[in-house]
Amino acid sequence: MTDDVRILTTTLDPAALTTELVNDRAHSQGALVTFVGMVRDLTANPVSAMQLEHYPGMTEKSLAAIIGRARARWPLGRALIAHRVGMLHPGEPIVFVGVTGSHRREAFAACEFLMDYLKTEAPFWKKEFTPDGERWVEAKPSDGEAAQRWRAAQQQQQ
Amino acid sequence: MIEVLFFARVRETLDLARLALELAEPTTVGALKAQLAARGANWQALFAERPVLAAVNQELALPEVDRDR
């Protein structure tokens, strides 16, 4: 079982990461769920590029800790989080989360859990470049609510 | 002594990436924010505008967290 956290300064290749997980999983793992997030291109709110800053060291630690929490909740095989930093343009993949498990249910749940916590607890900051200038994007309250949902679900189970 | 690192919007607003601070006694994240806000008008505006996330030893921290946790 290898936990993987990769911070990439060049292109993120979701197909290559998916193939890696398919080939590298244990044979008892019949499920692989992946999520790929891409830079959106919104006509109402044109963003020509975005710059992603992070806190090297803390980023890797916090993502590894999030994977550890997912493992405490579900029996998982591989868990891989890859995240871009630096300059990105609309359409480019920015994040990849891939989880293998024996069954689809835990793989789906863990993949969503990892994304929800990544959005609230990993030290990434996004600056958007638009025709009107540059702006830092603050964390959206809805991202915090998503992570809160998992906490509530766990308390109900206890 | 502690070293405070600034990122993203905060770093650009202050034009400062790191700051070494001598502390007379252990402090908390909340007290440290108040201390920083008192350094000048742009510092004060920064902390008043929007919540500023903080981490202690690379772990996300709430305002009441001790420096040496």
Side-chain angles (χ1 to χ4, degrees):
Chain A
M1 271 194 282
T2 323
D3 280 338
D4 268 316
V5 172
R6 300 179 196 172
I7 306 301
L8 307 170
T9 53
T10 55
T11 310
L12 189 163
D13 183 348
L17 295 172
T18 303
T19 303
E20 180 186 328
L21 290 176
V22 168
N23 292 337
D24 191 41
R25 89 206 131 77
H27 290 299
S28 60
Q29 288 154 20
L32 163 62
V33 172
T34 64
F35 173 84
V36 180
M38 282 151 290
V39 182
R40 285 188 296 176
D41 192 2
L42 302 172
T43 42
N45 185 16
V47 173
S48 56
M50 80 169 43
Q51 181 196 332
L52 213 71
E53 178 177 334
H54 77 125
Y55 179 4
M58 178 174 169
T59 311
E60 292 84 349
K61 262 171 67 176
S62 65
L63 293 178
I66 293 167
I67 291 177
R69 266 145 67 193
R71 286 200 180 283
R73 295 175 77 123
W74 299 281
L76 303 175
R78 288 283 306 269
L80 169 60
I81 299 178
H83 210 294
R84 274 294 314 274
V85 293
M87 288 299 286
L88 287 122
H89 297 90
E92 279 191 84
I94 189 168
V95 58
F96 174 97
V97 175
V99 178
T100 71
S102 302
H103 303 287
R104 69 180 183 282
R105 207 166 295 280
E106 61 249 29
F108 270 122
C111 189
E112 190 177 16
F113 176 95
L114 291 175
M115 262 319 292
D116 284 348
Y117 275 95
L118 183 155
K119 294 281 276 185
T120 51
E121 298 194 2
F124 291 108
W125 295 274
K126 210 162 44 170
K127 183 199 248 181
E128 292 180 345
F129 296 84
T130 74
D132 300 330
E134 311 168 1
R135 58 165 183 249
W136 287 100
V137 181
E138 306 292 317
K140 292 194 297 290
S142 59
D143 293 335
E145 285 162 19
Q148 188 59 44
R149 197 160 49 82
W150 291 105
R151 262 172 240 131
Q154 185 160 42
Q155 277 160 9
Q156 275 175 7
Q157 283 168 11
Q158 284 165 355
Chain B
M1 199 199 69
I2 62 166
E3 189 174 39
V4 188
L5 307 179
F6 302 105
F7 293 94
R9 182 175 64 91
V10 176
R11 186 197 59 237
E12 287 190 352
T13 305
L14 300 172
D15 195 21
L16 187 67
R18 56 182 64 212
L19 176 71
L21 274 185
E22 288 292 347
L23 293 179
E25 52 191 51
T27 187
T28 63
V29 172
L32 182 64
K33 282 183 182 175
Q35 189 185 332
L36 291 174
R39 289 175 76 91
N42 58 338
W43 292 79
Q44 193 169 10
L46 187 69
F47 288 99
E49 252 172 34
R50 282 180 274 196
V52 174
L53 275 183
V56 177
N57 298 331
Q58 302 191 343
E59 277 186 37
L60 271 189
L62 299 171
E64 65 274 19
V65 170
D66 289 336
R67 173 175 67 97
D68 290 319
R69 184 179 60 125

